[in-house]
Amino acid sequence: MLNTSVAQAVIDHALSLGADFAELFVERSQTNLVSTLSSHVQSVQSGIDFGVGVRLVYGNKVLYGYTNRAEQAELKGIVSKLAAKDRRDPRASLTNFDYRRVEDKHAATRILSVDPEVDNKVAFLLATDKAARAASNMISQTRGSCSQVEQRIELFNSEGLHTGDVRNYTRAFLVAIASDGSEQATGSWNDGGLMGWELIERMNSEAAGKEASRQALVNLSAKPCPSGRMPVVLGNGFGGVIFHEACGHLLETTSVAKKASVFHDKLGEMIANPVVNAVDDGTLHKERGSINIDDEGLDTQRTQLIKEGKLTSFLVDRIGAQQTGYARTGSGRRESYKYAPASRMRNTFIEPGTSELDEMIGSMDRGIYAAHMGGGSVQPGTGEFNFAVTEGYYVEKGKILYPVKAATLISTGPKVLKEISMVGRDFALASGTCGSVSGSIPTTVGQATLKVDDILVGGNA
Amino acid sequence: MTHQQHASQILEQVKAAGATGDLIIDQGRSLSLKAREGALEEYKVSSSQVLGLRVIKDGKVGTAYSEATDSEALKSLVEQALLNASFAAVDGHESILANAVKLHTEDALLCPAEDIAIDEQIDFALTLERSLATRSKVKNVPYNGVQDNTGERHIFSSAGLSAYSKSRMCAAYAYALVEEGEKNAMDGVGQAARLFRDLDLSQIVEQTHENCLGLLDGTPVASGHYDVIFDAETQVQLFQTFAMMFSGKSAKDGVNPMREKVGQLIADSRLNVFDKPQNSLGFGYALFDSEGTQTQSTPLIVDGHLSTLIHNSATASFFEINTTGHATRGPKSTMGVALHQLEIGKGQTQVKELLKGEYLLLTDLTGLHSGANAISGNFSFGASGYLCEHGERVRAVRGITVAGNFYEMLRKIALIGDQQFWNWEKSALMPHIRFEDIAISG
């Protein structure tokens, strides 16, 4: 995408200004989004994102710029502007780039640049709408979408690296709205992966529509949630978002290096109940958080974060490695050329255990079964987090009694890790998008159903 | 090639295909600085441009965008938009307005000239971080930054519209982590101004430090129902979270619970809410919306009655009324509606009366994006702040949740203060409101 001689001239220019490290990240992404509202197409949108990100490193200082223009003069101009206050004696010029071909372990078969398959996406979404409405006449509306992105990246750096990759992301969503005339409630379904429209081969429109409807109808009948401290059983799959937010972000060197994480000095220490084993794995086949190489050109890997309760690794990017001394883990990621890379999660999950759901529910005198979780947020410095429950049930004396609405779970990462007392066998992954310092990136979260012995539940009963 | 020439070329192709259309060109320049332990940790500059085309052919709407501006990309832009339109359902309401006006914002108002050296901005970033880091109990200042952003927008249409705006926003913020023994707390504040020299470094440092120390000893309060006052930041966040209640588009789509309530009493009769896009003291200032319609002040809630929803020309056509000048569209998005600059009218209550007795002052809400359902109005957020009595902070409160139904809360207003405050981003202007009987879990 970028002429090699232009890349070499720009990087040589950075080295002539004394930069310790220089990197160009070139991106051209094609996007397509099909949206439906109930039984008709609401919109079809498409576009091209194009730009070049320029990163210079002087010591621990990161200088970053980007532009939509790939001409040599423009890129050199950005380098000069960035280096203006840090200019040092010149470093040796780059002799040449060593092109490294990346094996695509997640090759897509139905890619956007060949055929956006809008007709097929519309047919799938309209079928989900039909299935959702067929489930109940209380389903008043559905909103569906299929998004597909073909991201082409190319990297050049002052260590002679020249490499590139193509990433295909496809995702489908359905939201069903149930109404009883006075109140409305929502339910949702989604699926996605590091793949093209072959995603359709594993999706079932009937099941998707029914699942979104089921959730909406459950929520329509939900009662206000009791509040206070109590045990909570977290459902499998997207329940893993709690570990992602409350613990995963605290293990990224982005916060560890700044000592802005409560875990920054806990490597090798017991930070969780011994039943907890946690992993961040960028290699899982075609999962949404997988990558061949990270956005710094390093092969990705599987990183064991917690082993039997003990903190075994952080997630480390180039700058994090430089600042902390830990080895890079292939976790340098960014949303686009508009962001400098940072240490970020990929597919993050708690490994399965040996408990059963009935056993967990049966062990609760008064608590909540959070079957499906929504989003949340965390403050890395203190570890405080909050999460919304999108499908929850009140449990008393070991029995599920009734669905609850507007429930929020509040605790801190360090506390909740120690309060996980049972982990089930029903492991599942769920796709998501994670927003942080280097933008919004595709990720996957996961876990088996697990029990947290004590957590603050916010409700309005 | 100039933007005008790009636009002419693109819109000529649109017309030649038997369609109408409009083109948005957004350009931006930005500087972002972050400091860590006395040195610059991030120095980021950017220059960006994106073109977004909307076409309407045979009643069908299609959009496409491009960040690349080579001739191939621009040709593809038109082709893609027309192709996308071919898949859409016929929309009898969306159209390109017959609006051949020329509009231009005043640079002196929104983008005043300032001769500021990069060295001064770097010094500001470094001093901000160092000043806080050396304060008592501050462990570090992990999140801090200084920004200087200038954005420009052009809108051209096949009907002859030519609208242009340019604005600048300088901002600074700092979040500090304080520790004492096993206790810790993190908080921060930000500030925004059109001129960099108007940013007040010492105010950010003092306020951040005070907020952090104030929360250090925070513990939950007992679960129960409390009178609650949200501070200037959290109250704006709360209203913005449920801003869909004013959306004509959500009403058209059947998901706005206020759709049938225009003219009805939906809130305490002392509540008056407006959208005031032409208040240039705020950063929500807008001379025109994304269709080129000139903006105006819009009363939304008058004496507790829902006065109107906000509309673009398509939603207005659907409801057979006039647009309220609230069309919103980015180059990469389809046409929607959005508020420009929310304002709540002053009440009658003086501060002493407003802060009488016991109440919770909430200074931080978490989970706003996930803990709220704008359709039902139900919410449950993490919160922190202070338990207060007669205006005095009795103790800090952390680890609690505040839950309820926003639409019911609008009827649970006890008092409305007689002074208005901007939030730090200056996107909304509101008095403090005292809500009663709000569920708190601790």
Side-chain angles (χ1 to χ4, degrees):
Chain A
M1 292 183 284
L2 184 66
N3 185 295
T4 306
S5 61
V6 171
Q8 178 148 0
V10 175
I11 285 178
D12 275 342
H13 180 54
L15 294 172
S16 76
L17 299 174
D20 295 324
F21 176 76
E23 174 194 76
L24 299 176
F25 179 88
V26 190
E27 178 188 2
R28 189 176 181 101
S29 292
Q30 194 173 336
T31 66
N32 182 269
L33 174 66
V34 179
S35 304
T36 54
L37 178 62
S38 294
S39 58
H40 70 268
V41 177
Q42 189 175 41
S43 65
V44 180
Q45 299 163 257
S46 56
I48 295 166
D49 296 303
F50 175 75
V52 183
V54 181
R55 179 165 64 148
L56 306 185
V57 179
Y58 283 85
N60 281 336
K61 188 195 291 187
V62 176
L63 310 169
Y64 197 77
Y66 66 83
T67 177
N68 303 120
R69 293 169 54 200
E71 294 93 12
Q72 186 176 138
E74 169 78 0
L75 295 169
K76 278 186 168 179
I78 288 179
V79 168
S80 298
K81 201 170 176 183
L82 290 173
K85 295 293 158 194
D86 293 275
R87 188 174 179 156
R88 295 179 195 159
D89 291 339
R91 291 181 175 271
S93 300
L94 183 65
T95 49
N96 54 29
F97 290 114
D98 179 16
Y99 184 73
R100 183 173 162 253
R101 184 172 297 282
V102 172
E103 181 195 353
D104 188 355
K105 295 172 181 166
H106 313 276
T109 54
R110 295 168 76 170
I111 64 175
L112 194 53
S113 56
V114 172
D115 184 356
E117 300 200 46
V118 173
D119 285 328
N120 290 333
K121 290 169 182 168
V122 168
F124 171 78
L125 292 172
L126 295 184
T128 63
D129 169 72
K130 195 173 172 186
R133 289 167 178 280
S136 167
N137 58 11
M138 294 171 90
I139 300 300
S140 58
Q141 189 180 104
T142 68
R143 290 168 171 272
S145 67
C146 285
S147 67
Q148 190 170 354
V149 177
E150 184 176 324
Q151 183 195 39
R152 292 181 178 273
I153 64 161
E154 191 171 24
L155 274 156
F156 301 86
N157 76 24
S158 56
E159 293 169 351
L161 175 72
H162 176 203
T163 190
D165 198 9
V166 182
R167 296 153 178 173
N168 290 276
Y169 295 106
T170 303
R171 203 170 185 201
F173 276 99
L174 181 71
V175 174
I177 299 169
S179 173
D180 62 5
S182 59
E183 284 202 33
Q184 292 185 319
T186 59
S188 65
W189 164 91
N190 82 88
D191 195 5
L194 179 66
M195 59 180 82
W197 183 239
E198 65 268 22
L199 176 68
I200 187 66
E201 291 155 21
R202 78 175 190 201
M203 296 193 298
N204 179 318
S205 58
E206 184 80 13
K210 280 184 176 172
E211 172 58 15
S213 287
R214 185 194 65 76
Q215 272 188 37
L217 294 168
V218 165
N219 286 329
L220 192 63
S221 66
K223 298 178 182 178
C225 183
S227 58
R229 305 203 71 86
M230 60 186 87
V232 172
V233 170
L234 296 169
N236 66 354
F238 203 68
V241 71
I242 290 205
F243 179 79
H244 170 103
E245 291 287 353
C247 306
H249 279 299
L250 278 56
L251 302 179
E252 296 165 340
T253 47
T254 306
S255 55
V256 169
K258 293 177 181 174
K259 297 179 182 171
S261 162
V262 286
F263 295 129
H264 78 271
D265 56 355
K266 299 286 189 287
L267 196 65
E269 294 183 22
M270 290 296 288
I271 63 165
N273 187 300
V275 300
V276 178
N277 293 286
V279 171
D280 184 79
D281 189 347
T283 68
L284 299 178
H285 189 57
K286 293 200 170 192
E287 291 296 342
R288 188 167 152 80
S290 297
I291 40 180
N292 291 306
I293 53 170
D294 72 2
D295 291 325
E296 299 181 314
L298 189 69
D299 285 341
T300 195
Q301 59 172 237
R302 182 183 199 272
T303 310
Q304 184 86 40
L305 300 171
I306 298 173
K307 186 71 180 170
E308 294 172 353
K310 186 185 286 184
L311 178 58
T312 51
S313 181
F314 293 119
L315 294 170
V316 191
D317 64 333
R318 172 181 287 274
I319 291 297
Q322 189 175 306
Q323 293 176 338
T324 64
Y326 300 123
R328 291 163 69 188
T329 54
S331 310
R333 303 186 67 192
R334 54 181 132 195
E335 177 183 324
S336 71
Y337 67 90
K338 292 181 179 173
Y339 296 88
S343 57
R344 300 289 295 274
M345 283 174 274
R346 298 157 296 195
N347 305 300
T348 315
F349 53 87
I350 294 177
E351 293 179 288
T354 57
S355 298
E356 301 291 346
L357 174 62
D358 289 350
E359 188 188 351
M360 295 182 224
I361 298 291
S363 70
M364 292 198 293
D365 184 47
R366 178 177 179 268
I368 298 295
Y369 170 37
H372 281 95
M373 297 298 301
S377 62
V378 64
Q379 193 181 65
T382 60
E384 292 169 309
F385 69 73
N386 68 88
F387 288 93
V389 179
T390 52
E391 182 187 347
Y393 300 87
Y394 178 60
V395 177
E396 200 171 276
K397 294 187 172 35
K399 303 278 183 211
I400 294 173
L401 292 190
Y402 54 81
V404 293
K405 60 185 172 187
T408 298
L409 307 182
I410 306 277
S411 187
T412 70
K415 270 188 202 164
V416 84
L417 277 179
K418 289 180 176 165
E419 295 287 348
I420 295 173
S421 59
M422 300 164 90
V423 180
R425 302 171 193 272
D426 57 344
F427 179 79
L429 291 169
S431 58
T433 297
C434 169
S436 187
V437 62
S438 59
S440 296
I441 57 170
T443 52
T444 298
V445 299
Q447 66 178 36
T449 302
L450 58 81
K451 184 187 173 196
V452 181
D453 282 341
D454 180 62
I455 201 164
L456 175 63
V457 177
N460 58 354
Chain B
M1 198 182 278
T2 65
H3 293 314
Q4 180 74 57
Q5 288 166 328
H6 268 139
S8 297
Q9 189 183 59
I10 289 167
L11 293 170
E12 281 306 317
Q13 288 178 49
V14 170
K15 285 194 263 188
T20 56
D22 59 10
L23 179 74
I24 292 177
I25 303 176
D26 278 356
Q27 282 182 291
R29 288 194 312 280
S30 71
L31 167 74
S32 172
L33 305 169
K34 294 177 183 171
R36 180 178 167 228
E37 295 178 354
L40 267 196
E41 184 193 33
E42 180 184 288
Y43 179 147
K44 186 172 178 179
V45 295
S46 75
S47 156
S48 62
Q49 176 174 294
V50 56
L51 289 75
L53 177 65
R54 177 177 64 140
V55 300
I56 303 177
K57 186 175 182 187
D58 303 329
K60 296 178 171 185
V61 183
T63 61
Y65 72 89
S66 179
E67 293 180 342
T69 51
D70 53 88
S71 56
E72 190 186 334
L74 296 183
K75 185 165 174 276
S76 165
L77 183 71
V78 178
E79 290 169 355
Q80 283 292 315
L82 289 167
L83 178 66
N84 292 341
S86 71
F87 292 106
V90 172
D91 184 320
H93 301 288
E94 192 160 337
S95 63
I96 302 300
L97 291 178
N99 192 0
V101 297
K102 293 197 186 314
L103 298 164
H104 198 302
T105 54
E106 286 179 49
D107 283 358
L109 192 67
L110 305 181
C111 195
E114 182 179 30
D115 185 17
I116 183 105
I118 181 67
D119 284 351
E120 285 182 68
Q121 295 176 306
I122 292 173
D123 280 349
F124 189 104
L126 296 175
T127 308
L128 177 62
E129 193 256 355
R130 275 299 88 189
S131 303
L132 256 173
T134 52
R135 290 295 181 97
S136 67
K137 299 178 185 172
V138 174
K139 185 182 178 192
N140 54 36
V141 190
Y143 304 102
N144 67 81
V146 168
Q147 293 173 350
D148 187 346
N149 302 320
T150 301
E152 293 175 71
R153 165 165 285 200
H154 296 264
I155 310 178
F156 302 99
S157 80
S158 54
L161 170 72
S162 174
Y164 172 74
S165 70
K166 181 179 180 183
S167 65
R168 181 186 183 205
M169 181 182 191
C170 301
Y173 64 91
Y175 280 75
L177 178 65
V178 296
E179 279 189 353
E180 185 177 50
E182 292 292 301
K183 294 180 296 186
N184 60 25
M186 187 189 277
D187 203 356
V189 299
Q191 217 178 77
R194 296 211 187 271
L195 292 172
F196 194 85
R197 290 201 177 89
D198 287 344
L199 295 174
D200 184 343
L201 187 146
S202 60
Q203 197 264 339
I204 299 172
V205 171
E206 294 299 333
Q207 193 67 55
T208 297
H209 192 228
E210 186 186 322
N211 289 358
C212 289
L213 293 183
L215 290 171
L216 193 55
D217 293 316
T219 52
V221 286
S223 298
H225 287 72
Y226 291 78
D227 275 17
V228 167
I229 295 176
F230 296 88
D231 74 357
E233 304 303 324
T234 55
Q235 186 166 289
V236 172
Q237 290 166 2
L238 189 65
F239 274 83
Q240 287 176 341
T241 299
F242 292 96
M244 191 191 86
M245 68 179 284
F246 298 116
S247 169
K249 183 164 192 303
S250 298
K252 176 174 176 272
D253 293 346
V255 291
N256 186 341
M258 300 295 156
R259 174 178 164 143
E260 307 297 336
K261 296 189 176 172
V262 175
Q264 294 181 22
L265 188 73
I266 61 159
D268 184 280
S269 62
R270 292 163 294 176
L271 187 69
N272 291 287
V273 180
F274 309 89
D275 188 53
K276 291 194 176 178
Q278 298 209 0
N279 182 347
S280 61
L281 294 175
F283 285 90
Y285 175 92
L287 177 64
F288 52 87
D289 72 1
S290 297
E291 290 182 291
T293 302
Q294 271 200 273
T295 60
Q296 59 190 353
S297 176
T298 307
L300 300 169
I301 296 177
V302 178
D303 299 333
H305 292 76
L306 182 63
S307 175
T308 184
L309 301 178
I310 56 170
H311 294 283
N312 57 33
S313 65
T315 64
S317 165
F318 179 84
F319 288 105
E320 299 179 339
I321 56 174
N322 293 323
T323 175
T324 57
H326 288 92
T328 182
R329 180 167 92 84
K332 298 183 180 182
S333 65
T334 54
M335 189 64 76
V337 301
L339 294 165
H340 299 289
Q341 195 155 256
L342 200 61
E343 180 172 332
I344 295 180
K346 291 177 190 174
Q348 302 287 325
T349 309
Q350 294 184 340
V351 175
K352 197 175 173 187
E353 181 66 17
L354 186 75
L355 307 183
K356 207 172 174 181
E358 185 188 80
Y359 62 94
L360 275 174
L361 172 66
L362 298 185
T363 58
D364 188 45
L365 296 177
T366 56
L368 287 151
H369 65 294
S370 56
N373 183 332
I375 296 176
S376 65
N378 290 326
F379 68 87
S380 180
F381 303 134
S384 55
Y386 302 89
L387 182 66
C388 302
E389 209 166 306
H390 301 301
E392 298 293 321
R393 294 178 175 185
V394 177
R395 69 180 180 88
V397 175
R398 290 170 67 187
I400 62 169
T401 64
V402 54
N405 183 288
F406 181 75
Y407 305 131
E408 289 171 16
M409 264 176 70
L410 293 179
R411 296 172 181 270
K412 288 184 178 180
I413 291 173
L415 299 165
I416 301 176
D418 63 357
Q419 295 175 49
Q420 292 170 307
F421 304 91
W422 287 103
N423 59 333
W424 82 259
E425 290 172 307
K426 292 187 180 168
S427 60
L429 182 66
M430 299 180 177
H432 288 312
I433 300 175
R434 183 164 172 153
F435 295 95
E436 58 189 8
D437 194 30
I438 303 297
I440 300 289
S441 303

